[in-house]
Amino acid sequence: MDRGRLTVFLGMAPGVGKTFAMLDEAHRRVSRGADVVVGIVETHDRPRTAALLEGLEVVPRRVVGHRGAEFGEMDTDAILARRPAVVLVDELAHTNVPGSLRAKRHEDVDVLRNAGIDVVTTLNIQHLESLNEVVQDITGVQQRETVPDAVVRAADQVQLVDMSPEGLRRRLAHGNVYRAEQIDASLASFFRPGNLIALRELALLWLADRVDTALDDYRRTQGIDQTWPTRERVVVAVTGGPESETLLRRAGRIAQRGAGGELVAVHVVRGDGLTGPAADLAGLKRLVDDLGGTFHTVVGEDVPTSVIEFARGVNATLVVVGVSSHPRWWRVFRQTTASDLARLSGAIDVHLVTHEQAGGAGGLRVPRSTLGATRTRTGWVLALLLPVLLTWLFHGGHSPDDFPLEVLAFLAATVLVALVGGLVPALVAAVVGFGLLNWFFTTPVGRFTISEPTNVVALAVFLAVATGVASVVDIAARRASEAGRARAEATTLSGLAQSVLTGSDTAQAVVDRLREAFGLTAVALLRRTPSGWDLVSAAGDVPDDADSPDGPDATTVAVDATHVLRLHGRTLHSSDMRVVEAFALQAGLVLEYRRLRDREARAAVLERAEETSTALLRAVSHDLRTPLATMRTSVDGLVAGEALSEDDRTSLLTSIRSATDQLVHLIDNLLDLSRISSGLVEPRLTDVSLEEVLPVAVAGHPSDRLVLDLDEATPFVRTDPGLLERVVANLADNAVRHSPPDRPVRVGVHLHADTIEVRVVDRGPGVPSATRGRMFEPFQRLGDASPGGLGLGLAVARGLASSMGASVAAEDTPGGGLTLVVSVPRASSDPLEQEVGRG
């Protein structure tokens, strides 16, 4: 069975006419003979929209009950049973009422499409998941109902329902969108002109991006390689050298000439993994971001081929490249990158940009040595001494037959110089050796002329071999150095990647590792605020001006739009900036993880609060209503009963008093729980005797229901007497309620070295160990069906105890039942003992 097609009518805001356009499309399809039904459409009491429902078959909604109310949701099962060709489903991002088969409406749509039914739906741009935070930043309104971007991107057709912001505000002002009492507030908040302009731009850009993606998909599936210049897309090839900024700025100006122009920068990395010449890619990426473009890195052996393949892949219309910086003599022997690009480009135009480095100097540019100053100086010394020393050794006993041996000796000396000092000293040694061999060892001796042709060949071969070997040795040394640097970078980046994947890094760990990896004196992570810069994390000797990204000896690396890394100490080589950029990326990920964790924590708090509110409402609906009902009934009886006997009147008054006490107790528990949750409980700790607290706490229970065992010699405790009294009273009430009438509750004291335990022992049914962990949570009745309780007593007891440094735990009572233990800190010194000592 073919999957049903999805058509989305996309709008920038409510009221632009998405539902109207969807219903109009439905009438057109019906007129063509299509089987169309309305799954669910929200008219929002708009007459013109409601009128379009006439003539369309509407599937009745399924009624779902939630929190005592009834809601109408789309009946997906009824639509599947009806099996129309097309179904209209309004508001794709809608969240279904709890109790529905699926949580989101787009999940119902997916079920319908899997059954082969075409779906036509509507969506506002602010409900896309990827744009949710952007819309919140613009409008200040958080959209709680979102739909994943992948759902909309997978749609077969997306139609934009558009109108000007001024037209939408007029429509709103005329009462065509909201009721009269909502118009002024809407125009002054969400429907402000700036908000609508921004939302309209978001909708247009998102749809343009999807159209561009669809075009790329079509070209790829159809195997179309040639460029389709639907819009100006400029690819600029950068090497990372000093000319790259000139190329990027020039390419940026070219891209901005036409509407919709796009700048794409590409840097080609060698396929062997070696870095090649040092490139300030981090700085170039920042410049590309400032120009509104994107930066890409590709791997390839041949630069022109890689650039053209990339340009064709992104459907580029123009490639911008700099004029060759090689000297003129270089271009005699081989083609430049620009000429190769022009030869390979085909339909893509190639634009050459001149720069200060174009053409280079007339002579040979000596590459920078990677061997270090000591080895280079040693190489120069050997380049000058070894040829002279060999000349001195061989000149005394020279014979023409020894010439091949002398040539090999000089060649070995040149190789040794190359191994020690690199290419340039080796070339000097080869030239000096060539001259010395010619002057002292080839006939005629003492002249630079050569009489024997074989000697000419030998000297030429010597010079060529010496030069070639020196070049190979120098290149190998460079590659080894680059490979070592690449290996170090890979090791560092691997550690970074591992820490990101495991989520074990913190912002402090990032700055510590960055300082250690590059030997810096200090590293600071700064955050931009409306009033300036704040220091987030720092490592090392941070200067006094660390709260600013600028400084005389500081290097600044951007992390994201609001964070930067400030580096102090040695000046980093441009090749090190790749790793620094990776550290900056990880710092951004760490900050993002922190933000997500904070959001998750806030969401968890809100979820717990919602659960608490739900439980409270559920409990209040019964437990608070019961005493109120009792009081009202008794009061009505007193008011209406003129012939009531004295006993009846006393009974009613007793009922009122009992219900009032019950209600006061419940409200006190609710207030205590609120104070505990808000952190407003401020205990006043003092040294007090349990003889002053426990008798008051259990005074409300008769002696046949509760027995207090308390020794007069019990040491003092450090506590808040009033809070401890509430704790013990709640535990005692709970124990008496669950203990059998013939088995009284016992409240006793047990002494320890640092604490004194108040133990409340009952002989009731006890609490299974599996559910014991929940018994101290709010609104947990755990099977307690007795009236007059919200399940707050134990939660309030533990909260109050914790606030004053005590603890509450539960144990099994030997022989059956539950023992609740309050551990209270002992006083540092017994006041009675102090009185005796003073006496």
Side-chain angles (χ1 to χ4, degrees), residues 267-277 297-304 306 479 482-483 486:
H267 173 69
V268 180
V269 179
R270 290 173 55 89
D272 55 12
L274 301 179
T275 58
T297 301
V298 298
V299 178
E301 297 294 343
D302 183 69
V303 173
S306 300
R479 291 293 182 261
E482 292 173 358

Side-chain angles (χ1 to χ4, degrees), residues 757-771:
E757 292 181 351
V758 179
R759 306 177 69 86
V760 181
V761 183
D762 69 57
R763 296 292 181 176
V767 177
S769 57
T771 58

Side-chain angles (χ1 to χ4, degrees), residues 502-552:
T502 57
S504 59
D505 247 343
T506 63
Q508 184 61 45
V510 171
V511 296
D512 288 338
R513 190 180 302 172
L514 181 57
R515 174 176 174 268
E516 178 183 356
F518 293 99
L520 301 171
T521 57
V523 177
L525 177 62
L526 306 178
R527 179 178 60 246
R528 187 196 305 271
T529 63
S531 59
W533 292 85
D534 289 343
L535 184 64
V536 178
S537 297
D541 300 326
V542 179
D544 296 335
D545 62 344
D547 57 350
S548 171
D550 302 320

Side-chain angles (χ1 to χ4, degrees), residues 741-772:
D742 57 341
R743 305 290 296 275
V745 173
R746 308 193 70 86
V747 178
V749 175
H750 190 75
L751 306 183
H752 291 277
D754 300 321
T755 61
I756 295 179
E757 292 181 351
V758 179
R759 306 177 69 86
V760 181
V761 183
D762 69 57
R763 296 292 181 176
V767 177
S769 57
T771 58
R772 195 170 295 167

Side-chain angles (χ1 to χ4, degrees), residues 636-657:
D636 290 343
L638 289 173
V639 172
E642 298 178 356
L644 287 176
S645 64
E646 190 63 28
D647 292 341
D648 292 338
R649 186 180 301 275
T650 301
S651 176
L652 291 174
L653 291 174
T654 302
S655 297
I656 293 175
R657 183 181 298 108

Side-chain angles (χ1 to χ4, degrees), residues 622-632 659-660 662-663 666 788:
H622 178 267
D623 292 284
L624 288 183
R625 186 179 298 171
T626 300
L628 289 174
T630 301
M631 294 169 63
R632 181 173 181 175
T660 303
Q662 181 181 349
L663 188 60
L666 293 175

